[in-house]
Amino acid sequence: MRMDWRDIPSLSSLRAFESAARLGGYSAAARELNVTHAAVAQHVRGLESHLGEKLLQRDKKGMALTATGRSLADSLAEGFGMIVSGVRAVTDEKTGRALRISTTPTFAEVWLMPKLGAFWSEHPHISVQVQPSMGLSNMRADDIDLAIRFGHGSWPGVDVVPLLMSPFTVVCSPDYTPEDRLEDIEDTSGFYWLFSEFSSEQYAWGQRIGIDFHEEGYRELASNALTLSAVRSGHGVSIQSRVLVEDDIASGRMKVLYEGDPENIGYYIVTAAGVLSPNIRLFRNWLIKNAEPVATLEELASGWDDVEPD
């Protein structure tokens, strides 16, 4: 599309308005842009005159956006953010800045870190910093290049790519119960259900196995790593994404009482919308390549000669 700059107000006025809208006033915008309060106000008035629309107005709390102002502010935030991403993609490659990767502590420990050595061997010139975190980062504000998050993948304002859609499993230690199938256990009220305090998927997964955890009760631990340790030690039962307990199952430290379809709940790669640097694209593609597909339920069932499919 051909850009006609005659139809666009000055970038200085757009930048002043975006800053005032984001920070909630002229004074804060002036400090951020290192100009005077009067200069910001003049830019905003000039922008309003150019557009023939009121963008900011005073209220009891200070400055408030009009509906038109909110729409323009959102568009400018996205547009300037893409400009920042594009410039950073160029400068980061020149300076060799480390990639900043954010992911949950458990996923970092169980899945990412054991594989990361291979990435460093293949790409020794690219430095990677892993920052364990439970929250979905504000990618640009927190200076995060790529995040790996668990959920449905429907987060606004970011680009999302599926990484691992793993079945969910009900797991416990082999000594916790003599039964090997959840459906063979008539009463689970005596079970200690263990979850991380940051997890929410257990409610949806509980409905899938016919358990309401609001009624049956459960115990929350400070992290999923502590939850997995407690399960291994025989202190309770948990519902986990299978990819996190694969090694425990293979080694016999845990057994699977039930396995269900994830239904689009899984791990996703999250990046800021806009231009990605070559190194971020390379790391994202490496993650996808190394996410070996977990066997489907049908494939798993084909190996269960002693179990009738549901």
Side-chain angles (χ1 to χ4, degrees):
M1 181 180 68
R2 180 178 177 273
M3 183 72 72
D4 189 346
W5 290 97
R6 293 172 297 181
D7 297 333
I8 300 176
S10 73
L11 291 179
S12 295
S13 66
L14 293 172
R15 187 177 64 162
F17 167 70
E18 190 279 331
S19 181
R22 174 167 40 82
L23 299 176
Y26 294 157
S27 297
R31 288 192 295 269
E32 180 179 73
L33 300 175
N34 197 28
V35 298
T36 65
H37 179 285
V40 174
Q42 183 178 358
H43 276 310
V44 174
R45 287 195 298 270
L47 180 60
E48 290 176 330
S49 177
H50 179 94
L51 298 174
E53 292 279 355
K54 191 69 175 174
L55 303 174
L56 280 168
Q57 58 190 11
R58 292 193 176 277
D59 62 10
K60 295 180 180 179
K61 297 181 180 180
M63 302 297 295
L65 288 165
T66 65
T68 301
R70 168 56 59 194
S71 177
L72 179 60
D74 290 344
S75 297
L76 289 175
E78 181 179 357
F80 285 143
M82 293 182 69
I83 292 173
V84 170
S85 295
V87 173
R88 183 175 291 168
V90 175
T91 57
D92 285 353
E93 294 304 309
K94 287 187 176 181
T95 61
R97 183 181 72 86
L99 296 183
R100 295 181 175 90
I101 311 301
S102 174
T103 184
T104 58
T106 302
F107 189 84
E109 177 186 354
V110 174
W111 192 89
L112 180 58
M113 295 310 298
K115 298 177 183 294
L116 199 54
F119 178 83
W120 284 325
S121 296
E122 297 171 22
H123 309 283
H125 63 290
I126 300 177
S127 180
V128 178
Q129 294 179 354
V130 179
Q131 301 179 6
S133 171
M134 296 305 304
L136 181 62
S137 304
N138 182 324
M139 308 294 292
R140 293 191 176 95
D142 297 339
D143 203 18
I144 297 298
D145 296 307
L146 182 149
I148 302 170
R149 285 293 178 266
F150 189 79
H152 286 90
S154 55
W155 301 294
V158 291
D159 290 336
V160 178
V161 177
L163 179 63
L164 285 169
M165 298 294 109
S166 172
F168 73 88
T169 57
V170 177
V171 290
C172 65
S173 75
D175 299 330
Y176 189 76
T177 174
E179 303 292 349
D180 292 325
R181 290 163 56 93
L182 190 64
E183 51 263 44
D184 294 336
I185 302 173
E186 295 182 1
D187 183 11
T188 61
S189 61
F191 279 9
Y192 288 127
W193 293 93
L194 305 174
F195 301 112
S196 162
E197 65 183 56
F198 300 103
S199 179
S200 60
E201 288 75 22
Q202 69 265 19
Y203 299 113
W205 286 341
Q207 293 177 351
R208 299 280 305 282
I209 60 176
I211 296 177
D212 185 346
F213 289 115
H214 293 289
E215 295 183 358
E216 183 145 339
Y218 58 92
R219 294 181 176 181
E220 284 188 339
L221 301 180
S223 70
N224 203 47
L226 291 177
T227 301
L228 295 178
S229 179
V231 173
R232 293 185 196 107
S233 300
H235 298 317
V237 184
S238 187
I239 306 181
Q240 297 283 334
S241 176
R242 181 169 179 121
V243 69
L244 296 182
V245 293
E246 199 69 64
D247 288 345
D248 288 298
I249 296 169
S251 67
R253 292 189 296 265
M254 294 183 190
K255 66 180 179 180
V256 177
L257 298 178
Y258 184 90
E259 185 159 273
D261 193 306
E263 293 189 354
N264 295 326
I265 298 178
Y267 288 92
Y268 291 83
I269 300 172
V270 183
T271 53
V275 179
L276 298 180
S277 73
N279 283 354
I280 298 175
R281 289 199 305 271
L282 188 151
F283 189 76
R284 183 180 64 180
N285 293 340
W286 176 85
L287 285 172
I288 295 171
K289 178 181 176 182
N290 280 269
E292 298 176 356
V294 178
T296 65
L297 296 181
E298 290 77 9
E299 291 170 338
L300 291 169
S302 67
W304 299 342
D305 296 333
D306 57 340
V307 178
E308 289 294 328
D310 292 338

